[in-house]
Amino acid sequence: MEIIVQETYEEMSRAAAKVVARMLNSKPNAVLGLATGSTPQGVYRELVRLHKNEGLDFSQVTSFNLDEYVGLTKDHPQSYHYFMHENLFKHVNIPPQNVYIPSGTTDNYVAFCAWYERRIEECGGIDLQLLGIGSDGHIAFNEPSSSLGSRTRIKTLARQTIADNARFFEKTEDVPIYAITMGVGTILEARSILLLANGAHKADAVVAAIEGPVTSMITASALQLHPDVICFLDRPAADKLKMLDYYQWVQAKHPGAPQGT
Ligand code: GLP
């Protein structure tokens, strides 16, 4: 895992967006895996800026989102469909038919999940997957104890996640209890992954994911098994890392590092 620590959320977001832009410039028809939540909003803002000011082109991009709340329609302001439209899709030139987001309102979840997995495969697999991390260490909605081999399916949200996400709803009871989510196994098949975390409230999850044992109790720890993960952190999220000095030392040397290290 490569650990990049930036002083601020804005710097972290710009650095991560640069990796996405580099991917789109080298592979214009890249397949992106996209995430929701407050964490990636800065990356999306920067991608929109790059599209508007520097012509970053999404015309051949395909995207697959990680998850969606069960029961929320596409136009519900707290649905992930709505979030993606507002934060990214309506501002860039990605063709609507290339956008895939799990359905929160299908009448056959089992069939939908199998189809979603198939579509990812048919599109050639995910080139670059963006991820945030929940305060309980989850990725997408793979709550603690999710199988590390899991595929797209329905998950019951943990109380911690419901409490965390209640800030977006009028009251806690409005937060859906179920979500449809890519599995940990699905995520690990992406060719490269960017994990983002900011804020002191993520520091415990970050240290467990990066330096703790690989365990289904912290599903982000499964990323340790993946050969191409860059972890972008702001300073408060990185604060509890035991090897922080080492990561920063590596980061400082990186531009001059010999090829292959
Ligand atoms: C939800 C999403 C995750 C996200 C997490 C953290 O649970 N399913 O994909 O990483 O929230 O959200 P935030 O970025 O708002 O802290």
Side-chain angles (χ1 to χ4, degrees), residues 35-40 66-67 80 132-134 138 140-141 161 165 167-168 201-202:
T36 49
S38 45
T39 308
L66 288 167
D67 46 14
Y80 288 166
I133 184 169
H138 72 232
F141 271 128
T161 301
N165 292 357
R167 68 189 193 280
F168 298 113
H201 62 298
K202 294 291 176 70

Side-chain angles (χ1 to χ4, degrees), residues 34-41 66-69 80 83 130-136 138-143 157 161 164-165 167-168 179 181 195-198 201-202:
L34 299 177
T36 49
S38 45
T39 308
Q41 278 180 313
L66 288 167
D67 46 14
E68 177 58 287
Y69 289 114
Y80 288 166
F83 175 99
L130 274 185
L131 292 175
I133 184 169
S135 63
D136 62 4
H138 72 232
I139 44 176
F141 271 128
N142 293 288
E143 298 289 25
L157 302 190
T161 301
D164 287 350
N165 292 357
R167 68 189 193 280
F168 298 113
T181 179
L195 175 69
L196 309 169
N198 66 287
H201 62 298
K202 294 291 176 70

Side-chain angles (χ1 to χ4, degrees), residues 125-153:
I126 291 170
D127 290 301
L128 180 61
Q129 175 69 58
L130 274 185
L131 292 175
I133 184 169
S135 63
D136 62 4
H138 72 232
I139 44 176
F141 271 128
N142 293 288
E143 298 289 25
S145 81
S146 290
S147 158
L148 300 186
S150 51
R151 314 299 308 188
T152 303
R153 69 214 184 288

Side-chain angles (χ1 to χ4, degrees), residues 20 51 53 82 118 127 145 149 161 178 194 215 237:
V20 181
H51 170 70
N53 298 349
Y82 189 87
R118 220 168 35 244
D127 290 301
S145 81
T161 301
Y178 302 104
L194 303 186
T215 166

